[in-house]
Amino acid sequence: MIDRDGLADFLRRRRELLRPADVGLPDGARRRTPGLRREEVAQLAGMSTDYYSRLEQSRGANPSEPIVASLARALRCDLDERDHLYHLAGLAPPLRLAGRHLGPGLIGLVERLDDIPVFVATDLDEVLWQNALADVLIGHRSGTGRARNLTWLWFTDPAIRQLFPEEDWDAHSAAHVSDLRGTYGRRMGDQDVTSLVEDLVAQSEEFRALWDLHEVGVRRLPRKRFLNSEVGELDLTCETLLTPAADVRVRAFLPIEGTDARDKLALLKVIGTQTFA
């Protein structure tokens, strides 16, 4: 059962503990109350201010699991605080598997990288967080599970391939499969891994053929070409940072020197995000 009063109190206290600088927001005008404003938390969590305000007032609809997960990230909850938030909302907290929670430190780091596309993903390529430039570059990922899994989308949704030159598709396919094979070998028997592989084998003949080759390796496509309707082709290099404790991957896309990618990213930051919004 949801504990509405406890949930409201916890949300309010967490909000009051955070400063704008903690979440990458400007201080702005003088604040009448400590911490963040309700509208700022709502913006960070991707929900309406009215909905969030109702939660703090012990009323409104019961929050769903994606809503609680968004609130935990927005309020910079650690794992214990996240689990407590789930319990207050009447939900079972996610299992403490690696790669499912972004800690406050990691969120604070990636939010400061706002001049290049950056996203954070699990070892199965499920996007957990991405910034505005990544939204423009690879598309905004809404929903949960497979709708945010780049490997699944690569082999089941033709639209995602239009973001890359066709002559690069084979290399991308091979990289996705060999990367997944490495995770499969390391976490053999885990249900999330085996179900993804089984479903991809059933859905995609291309995946099935590549999987049968049994090639293993971490993704090795350091240089990637993206196609964008606003600025054309961008030549970027992908730097992957691993976080051993959380087992998630931060992928940052940097402009390649000697190309016009830096200028194009700067232009996208101005007009691309406006077009996306």
Side-chain angles (χ1 to χ4, degrees):
M1 294 289 293
I2 184 173
D3 180 355
R4 291 191 178 277
D5 291 339
L7 177 63
D9 184 66
F10 182 76
L11 292 174
R12 184 170 56 253
R13 291 179 183 276
R14 283 298 306 165
R15 174 172 62 84
E16 291 174 350
L17 284 173
L18 292 173
R19 300 172 303 164
D22 294 332
V23 296
L25 295 175
D27 286 333
R30 178 178 297 178
R31 293 171 180 262
R32 298 179 181 176
T33 58
L36 300 180
R37 300 186 179 100
R38 287 176 176 173
E39 58 267 27
E40 291 171 334
V41 175
Q43 177 186 359
L44 291 169
M47 63 187 65
S48 71
T49 301
D50 179 67
Y51 181 83
Y52 177 76
S53 297
R54 287 174 179 270
L55 291 178
E56 277 203 11
Q57 295 164 358
S58 303
R59 58 195 183 94
N62 291 2
S64 64
E65 185 174 343
I67 288 290
V68 175
S70 296
L71 285 171
R73 287 193 291 269
L75 294 170
R76 303 302 193 261
C77 295
D78 61 24
L79 278 174
D80 290 333
E81 291 164 339
R82 181 207 66 175
D83 289 355
H84 182 61
L85 183 59
Y86 270 82
H87 287 305
L88 291 172
L91 299 168
L95 297 176
R96 293 198 177 194
L97 296 175
R100 301 305 309 166
H101 179 70
L102 305 186
L106 181 59
I107 294 177
L109 170 65
V110 293
E111 283 186 338
R112 285 164 171 76
L113 303 174
D114 61 354
D115 58 344
I116 58 173
V118 178
F119 70 84
V120 184
T122 68
D123 59 356
L124 291 180
D125 232 9
E126 179 184 339
V127 176
L128 301 174
W129 180 94
Q130 60 189 58
N131 65 6
L133 272 177
D135 283 341
V136 177
L137 193 67
I138 66 172
H140 180 67
R141 301 293 156 206
S142 59
T144 59
R146 298 285 169 82
R148 303 178 68 90
N149 189 295
L150 297 179
T151 298
W152 173 261
L153 293 172
W154 180 261
F155 290 102
T156 63
D157 183 2
I160 197 171
R161 300 199 178 202
Q162 303 310 310
L163 301 173
F164 305 91
E166 186 173 357
E167 56 267 30
D168 295 348
W169 289 1
D170 288 346
H172 282 285
S173 295
H176 277 295
V177 174
S178 63
D179 195 13
L180 180 56
R181 174 68 77 172
T183 302
Y184 181 85
R186 180 170 55 88
R187 295 209 284 122
M188 187 177 299
D190 288 357
Q191 181 58 36
D192 57 340
V193 183
T194 56
S195 64
L196 177 61
V197 171
E198 289 170 358
D199 290 348
L200 281 168
V201 167
Q203 289 288 327
S204 171
E205 182 178 348
E206 180 190 14
F207 177 87
R208 186 163 57 250
L210 289 169
W211 188 255
D212 288 343
L213 295 177
H214 210 117
E215 294 180 350
V216 183
V218 175
R219 184 186 308 274
R220 289 187 174 85
L221 278 180
R223 182 166 182 160
K224 293 190 177 184
R225 295 187 297 164
F226 291 86
L227 302 178
N228 181 270
S229 59
E230 297 286 345
V231 299
E233 184 175 303
L234 294 94
D235 289 309
L236 305 175
T237 182
C238 178
E239 294 293 337
T240 301
L241 309 178
L242 303 178
T243 60
D247 197 21
V248 296
R249 306 169 183 183
V250 179
R251 292 200 175 116
F253 296 90
L254 304 169
I256 293 178
E257 298 301 329
T259 72
D260 57 0
R262 187 180 302 277
D263 293 336
K264 288 181 176 179
L265 283 178
L267 183 60
L268 275 182
K269 187 175 181 182
V270 177
I271 65 169
T273 52
Q274 294 175 351
T275 302
F276 174 79

